[in-house]
Amino acid sequence: MHRSQVSPVAAIALSAAFCVATTAFPAELIQLTSENFDQIVPAGKETDAIYGDWVLRNADVTAVIANPVVGRKANMTVRGVGGMLIDFTTRHHGSDQLSCFYPAGGRYLFEDPQTLRGRIDDGPEQMLDSGSTLHGGSLSVIVTGISIADDKTEARVTYTVSDEQPWLSYRVELMNRADGPVTLRREDALRCDGNLFQTGALENGGFFAEDRYFGQCYGFLVDEHSLRNEAGRSMPLVAGEPESIASGETLAWDGSVFCSQGLPGIRSLMLAATEVREVHPVSLLLKCPQGGMAHAQVAYQRGQEELGLIQTDANGFARTHLPSGLYTARISAIGHEPREHQFEVSDRPRSDTLSFESPSRVRGRISDAAGSAIAAKIQFQGLEGTADPDFGPDSAIYAIKNVVYCARGSFEQPLDAGHYRVIISHGPEYDADIQEIEVLPGQLVQLSSSLPRTVDTTGWVSTEFHSHSSPSGDNVSHQTGRVLNLLAEQLEFAPCTEHNRIDTYADDLELLGATHAMATCSGMELTGGPLPINHQNAFPLQMHVHEQDGGGPQTDADPVKQIERLALWDNSSSKVVQSNHPDIASILGDRDLDGQPDEGFRGMLGWMDVIEVHPPEKIFDFPAADVAAKDKRSNPIFHWLQLLNLGYRIPGVVNTDAHYNFHGSGWLRNYLRSSTDNPAEISLAEMIHSSEHGHSVMTTGPFLEFELKVVSPAGETQRFGVGEDVDLRGASASMWIRVQCPNWFDVNRVQIFANGRPLESANFTRKTHPSLFKNDYVRFELETALPALNEDTHFIAAAIGEGLKLGPVMGPDAGERPPVAVTNPIFVDIDGSGFQPNGDNLGVPFMVDTGSSEN
């Protein structure tokens, strides 16, 4: 008997244990369509199913096999998934965390839907047409692929579920169609991404991958072989040694894939599959007067044998399978004393409920000065020997490390007894509140905080144009946690910009009850190579729900072609196209990165609406020519100034590019001019217009305003803001600058730049001009004459806290950065002939070939 095949006795035991469920839910094979998708697709942070994929399920597990078509990928980094297992979870605890399981090790392409077959029990194979549905005691789906190595071998993979087993079986057959022998080996591959996953070999020769926090553990068995894993992002699972397979012969192996809420269940299900052992469903509910106890840790032990740990789900349940015997569950939960629970599993399912006293906890209400509830970020820092709490990983939603986010002004969080400093904030327009609390065992601490909005940003809204979560494929952060982070930091407009798929935040905002607090639209980051040049964001884009890549465009190896494709997508619809973290010098004139000027990728510049130039503080740090030549990427904002002097009027933006939810968003933002200050009324067309025309200010927190007041010869006064053109013929003008800060950071220098160079006459510091700087919310305000000009000049204002930090409100990393803000330019035309750039290279030679008209 193959290890992966369930024995008759074990099948009887399992079917008895699950008899109620299997009667109601026989095995099914269903293709996902727009009509059935929401009812059938499994739940989970890493679910990647789309229309056309195939679902194999029974009463216990749901598996998604990606449709074997050309170009099928789960996300940006998990590619070639046609015919592969991309989603897998239990039906009672839907928490898919699988990126992909590749039978045959990702060495074959399964891209021909004409080879797709289905089978009921031991009956004949039948072709699966679009929309097919099969029902039966045992169901199989079969895919056939061709070798990527072009070694004339083929692969055939059969996936099977049955009413009698709560796991997925598979069989791999590698067929040698070559004229001579081919060396092959039994090798599958696994993608379970993120640093939460713990992996390892099991004593029975199996292998496991476990994400405790999100409550999913996977197990793998192959034949009589012991699995070993080898290095690689797609983790090879190897069984046995390479074998020489003669022409016309086949190398085959059988395996099983298991899923459970934790490792104890994986161990037990493997026992059921490989030995004559009965295993039984066991559930444990932990509750207290406040409800189910989420993310409590339950360590299972039988005698002296440690079986593994399960974290309870959002409702307080820990579910597993166990063979008959005596067990101890050791329970620990934040705010509670540790506890042990001893129980016996006999010959039937067991369900226990344990009641706990109320935990020590904090209940908070956060409001603005008018008493209206607002989203907030609440940090807990241990004092007097109390450790900082660790509520959850940086990929979580509400409680992350020592931070709690709330969307609508209220929260309740278990907290171990001790002394804490509590930092409550809602972005840089609001004062932060710092309190100290003592939490006693079992005590409820009421926390109330009113955060006044002390920075007046009337006519502007705060925006973030670049952030990510798990659908991007290069991180595992929960997307709802990303949106909650944005809300807590009071971002008022944020498009969704996941890698290589059009996606949306609209469902997350609706879930959080916060559609009034942040405007959004669907968009994407089109992420190609070469890095870092060929990354561009675009929004809005039309999202095609549950289709490959959300209906988005594909990447191109030529950055010029890629950005053009993105700009023209959706029939050349109005959108913002943003160049992300660009190597401006290479784009301008060093295509091959050899340090010698060439044509670069200058064709990209004509398609850019905005360009990322962070970190903004680098505007105060001009590089020497020899340094800039060696390190072209360290100061993007300097090279942006050079672009402006060459006549490329591409507005600058700064964004966090956040990938994780622990203080990920908020420490970089753009203020865009807006006719409304109400996020629910923000006009998308106006956001596009303000972005494209540079009506924007870049900041880590300070709110900086900059205008030119122009008095015509007739005595008429006009005010011009950032991004605008000023015809100065015969007129006089003055510059007005104002900087506002809340109570948790400061600025001590304001500088005006003319054509990219700092004006000595407009360098104001708290040391040299103390009367201009205040300790009130308006830290600096000045109107001063525009200096005499002999050429057209673009003016930029910048403010910084030199030697200062954003501080603990922004967390341990971003908090080390300085408060700084930089405006986009105001363009002054001195003679009415239209603005003419001066071509100043700012002391560093342009990376432009000598034959270029821009040189």
Side-chain angles (χ1 to χ4, degrees):
M1 180 185 73
H2 291 299
R3 282 180 128 178
S4 59
Q5 295 175 325
V6 61
S7 71
V9 175
I12 293 170
L14 282 165
S15 62
F18 291 91
C19 61
V20 175
T22 54
T23 301
F25 298 104
E28 298 176 297
L29 172 62
I30 310 169
Q31 188 173 37
L32 291 171
T33 67
S34 58
E35 287 76 26
N36 63 23
F37 190 92
D38 291 339
Q39 292 74 41
I40 295 175
V41 73
K45 176 171 62 67
E46 300 300 319
T47 300
D48 293 303
I50 61 174
Y51 297 151
D53 291 340
W54 295 85
V55 170
L56 266 175
R57 66 177 185 175
N58 58 20
D60 307 297
V61 297
T62 298
V64 177
I65 311 302
N67 201 21
V69 294
V70 174
R72 182 71 181 98
K73 53 184 180 287
N75 55 49
M76 177 183 69
T77 65
V78 183
R79 298 182 286 268
V81 303
M84 300 294 98
L85 176 64
I86 58 170
D87 299 320
F88 190 47
T89 188
T90 58
R91 292 187 68 171
H92 60 73
H93 174 70
S95 182
D96 173 61
Q97 304 301 318
L98 179 68
S99 294
C100 188
F101 177 64
Y102 297 86
R107 295 168 293 160
Y108 294 81
L109 291 177
F110 299 82
E111 298 182 332
D112 183 1
Q114 298 301 313
T115 67
L116 190 66
R117 298 290 186 272
R119 185 174 62 223
I120 302 175
D121 296 326
D122 294 324
E125 294 179 11
Q126 53 185 288
M127 188 169 181
L128 293 177
D129 298 321
S130 178
S132 294
T133 300
L134 300 180
H135 301 272
S138 175
L139 292 176
S140 299
V141 60
I142 304 153
V143 294
T144 302
I146 59 174
S147 173
I148 295 174
D150 195 25
D151 59 4
K152 293 185 167 43
T153 62
E154 293 180 3
R156 174 182 162 100
V157 178
T158 303
Y159 301 95
T160 302
V161 298
S162 74
D163 292 346
E164 298 178 343
Q165 59 187 45
W167 60 80
L168 175 76
S169 298
Y170 68 97
R171 179 173 178 81
V172 179
E173 298 166 277
L174 303 184
M175 297 157 284
N176 181 8
R177 307 299 191 196
D179 293 334
V182 176
T183 299
L184 301 172
R185 70 175 181 176
R186 295 173 179 85
E187 178 183 333
D188 303 317
L190 172 67
R191 278 288 299 270
C192 284
D193 292 349
N195 56 12
L196 290 184
F197 266 99
Q198 301 181 42
T199 62
L202 293 171
E203 58 279 355
N204 60 1
F207 187 84
F208 77 94
E210 178 183 33
D211 182 335
R212 290 178 178 172
Y213 185 84
F214 287 101
Q216 192 63 269
C217 186
Y218 296 107
F220 306 88
L221 279 175
V222 171
D223 289 341
E224 68 278 6
H225 297 277
S226 293
L227 285 172
R228 66 182 187 276
N229 68 290
E230 298 179 356
R233 190 171 192 178
S234 293
M235 185 185 302
L237 299 180
V238 180
E241 300 302 324
E243 298 181 30
S244 179
I245 306 301
S247 176
E249 296 299 313
T250 297
L251 175 67
W253 64 93
D254 292 279
S256 295
V257 186
F258 306 84
C259 62
S260 185
Q261 194 175 343
L263 185 56
I266 296 298
R267 293 180 186 275
S268 298
L269 291 172
M270 286 182 175
L271 284 176
T274 59
E275 302 178 21
V276 183
R277 297 289 297 276
E278 293 186 9
V279 299
H280 310 282
V282 175
S283 70
L284 177 63
L285 171 61
L286 307 182
K287 66 178 186 178
C288 63
Q290 289 70 42
M293 295 164 50
H295 296 295
Q297 299 198 29
V298 184
Y300 289 85
Q301 184 174 332
R302 181 179 183 180
Q304 299 301 310
E305 182 184 8
E306 300 286 346
L307 302 178
L309 184 147
I310 296 176
Q311 282 202 29
T312 55
D313 65 15
N315 297 312
F317 280 98
R319 295 183 174 96
T320 188
H321 290 80
L322 294 171
S324 299
L326 295 173
Y327 295 88
T328 299
R330 289 180 280 108
I331 302 160
S332 60
I334 295 175
H336 293 275
E337 291 295 322
R339 181 170 170 180
E340 288 192 357
H341 170 59
Q342 277 145 10
F343 62 98
E344 181 177 4
V345 177
S346 55
D347 58 354
R348 61 179 57 87
R350 180 182 179 110
S351 297
D352 290 351
T353 298
L354 297 183
S355 295
F356 288 69
E357 299 294 328
S358 294
S360 53
R361 64 200 188 281
V362 175
R363 179 184 297 158
R365 185 181 188 280
I366 317 301
S367 66
D368 61 17
S372 298
I374 56 175
K377 177 174 70 178
I378 304 96
Q379 301 179 65
F380 295 88
Q381 299 177 340
L383 299 173
E384 301 178 19
T386 300
D388 285 358
D390 186 0
F391 301 128
D394 55 9
S395 53
I397 304 176
Y398 297 96
I400 300 171
K401 296 190 175 181
N402 69 330
V403 169
V404 172
Y405 295 121
C406 64
R408 292 178 292 172
S410 61
F411 72 94
E412 184 165 322
Q413 176 62 42
L415 189 63
D416 286 336
H419 291 80
Y420 298 90
R421 176 184 295 113
V422 186
I423 304 174
I424 307 143
S425 62
H426 185 46
E429 296 178 32
Y430 287 76
D431 277 0
D433 181 21
I434 301 177
Q435 303 182 24
E436 292 188 6
I437 61 172
E438 182 181 7
V439 180
L440 298 177
Q443 179 193 29
L444 169 65
V445 175
Q446 297 280 2
L447 182 70
S448 179
S449 181
S450 176
L451 304 180
R453 190 173 190 171
T454 52
V455 175
D456 181 4
T457 61
T458 301
W460 300 82
V461 293
S462 59
T463 67
E464 161 73 89
F465 289 171
H466 189 180
S467 53
H468 296 282
S469 54
S470 185
S472 284
D474 63 346
N475 71 94
V476 293
S477 291
H478 202 293
Q479 192 177 75
T480 304
R482 163 63 52 240
V483 174
L484 190 52
N485 186 185
L486 291 164
L487 289 166
E489 296 290 358
Q490 204 240 330
L491 273 302
E492 294 163 306
F493 172 68
C496 185
T497 59
E498 305 292 6
H499 287 295
N500 290 356
R501 70 164 69 179
I502 300 174
D503 209 338
T504 180
Y505 291 152
D507 50 350
D508 297 294
L509 287 167
E510 186 173 352
L511 175 69
L512 295 168
T515 54
H516 65 286
M518 189 181 86
T520 188
C521 66
S522 53
M524 74 181 303
E525 177 176 0
L526 192 56
T527 306
L531 297 173
I533 291 171
N534 209 11
H535 289 206
Q536 304 96 32
N537 283 4
F539 60 88
L541 293 170
Q542 182 179 352
M543 180 181 176
H544 299 265
V545 180
H546 306 317
E547 295 186 7
Q548 183 67 61
D549 305 324
Q554 300 302 299
T555 60
D556 197 289
D558 183 338
V560 179
K561 291 181 180 179
Q562 177 172 300
I563 193 172
E564 177 183 6
R565 179 181 301 159
L566 184 59
L568 298 179
W569 201 251
D570 287 341
N571 297 315
S572 302
S573 62
S574 178
K575 62 177 70 69
V576 174
V577 177
Q578 170 181 287
S579 179
N580 294 343
H581 40 72
D583 185 337
I584 294 175
S586 296
I587 292 173
L588 187 59
D590 189 9
R591 174 184 287 259
D592 55 10
L593 301 175
D594 65 353
Q596 300 301 313
D598 56 35
E599 74 279 10
F601 296 99
R602 281 198 296 281
M604 297 179 68
L605 297 171
W607 298 103
M608 295 179 192
D609 294 315
V610 296
I611 187 168
E612 288 186 337
V613 298
H614 41 263
E617 61 267 25
K618 287 286 190 175
I619 198 170
F620 293 94
D621 184 20
F622 274 32
D626 59 336
V627 173
K630 295 176 182 178
D631 186 3
K632 304 180 187 71
R633 292 188 57 200
S634 65
N635 199 332
I637 201 166
F638 172 80
H639 293 296
W640 173 64
L641 296 175
Q642 288 186 309
L643 279 183
L644 293 171
N645 286 349
L646 283 174
Y648 293 103
R649 290 179 59 166
I650 306 171
V653 292
V654 295
N655 299 294
T656 62
D657 192 9
H659 281 64
Y660 286 89
N661 298 338
F662 180 63
H663 299 284
S665 301
W667 56 273
L668 282 173
R669 65 185 65 208
N670 306 285
Y671 278 99
L672 265 61
R673 189 181 297 172
S674 173
S675 59
T676 180
D677 297 301
N678 183 351
E681 298 174 358
I682 285 175
S683 162
L684 186 53
E686 191 172 23
M687 293 296 95
I688 296 171
H689 179 85
S690 291
S691 298
E692 293 177 341
H693 290 80
H695 303 324
S696 56
V697 178
M698 304 169 276
T699 183
T700 65
F703 182 61
L704 171 61
E705 298 167 276
F706 180 44
E707 295 179 351
L708 294 190
K709 186 170 73 173
V710 178
V711 181
S712 70
E716 297 178 347
T717 300
Q718 285 184 280
R719 302 182 79 94
F720 295 86
V722 294
E724 296 185 324
D725 286 86
V726 179
D727 183 347
L728 202 60
R729 282 179 296 177
S732 61
S734 60
M735 301 181 291
W736 175 77
I737 314 104
R738 182 168 70 176
V739 185
Q740 298 179 69
C741 301
N743 67 349
W744 47 278
F745 59 78
D746 197 6
V747 297
N748 54 23
R749 180 183 176 188
V750 174
Q751 173 73 64
I752 305 298
F753 295 81
N755 283 334
R757 293 185 178 271
L759 281 175
E760 291 186 12
S761 62
N763 180 24
F764 309 101
T765 70
R766 195 177 281 271
K767 182 177 181 180
T768 60
H769 299 78
S771 63
L772 297 179
F773 289 83
K774 310 298 181 184
N775 294 320
D776 206 346
Y777 298 110
V778 177
R779 297 294 207 275
F780 180 94
E781 186 169 13
L782 175 68
E783 184 172 336
T784 185
L786 189 73
L789 303 177
N790 56 16
E791 63 178 352
D792 292 351
T793 306
H794 62 77
F795 289 92
I796 290 172
I800 190 170
E802 292 186 318
L804 305 178
K805 300 177 181 179
L806 289 172
V809 169
M810 277 299 167
D813 296 325
E816 295 297 305
R817 293 178 174 271
V820 58
V822 180
T823 71
N824 270 281
I826 301 174
F827 298 89
V828 178
D829 172 12
I830 64 172
D831 58 12
S833 62
F835 185 87
Q836 302 297 317
N838 71 353
D840 183 6
N841 65 17
L842 305 178
V844 176
F846 292 125
M847 188 61 70
V848 179
D849 60 20
T850 55
S852 170
S853 61
E854 292 117 342
N855 189 33

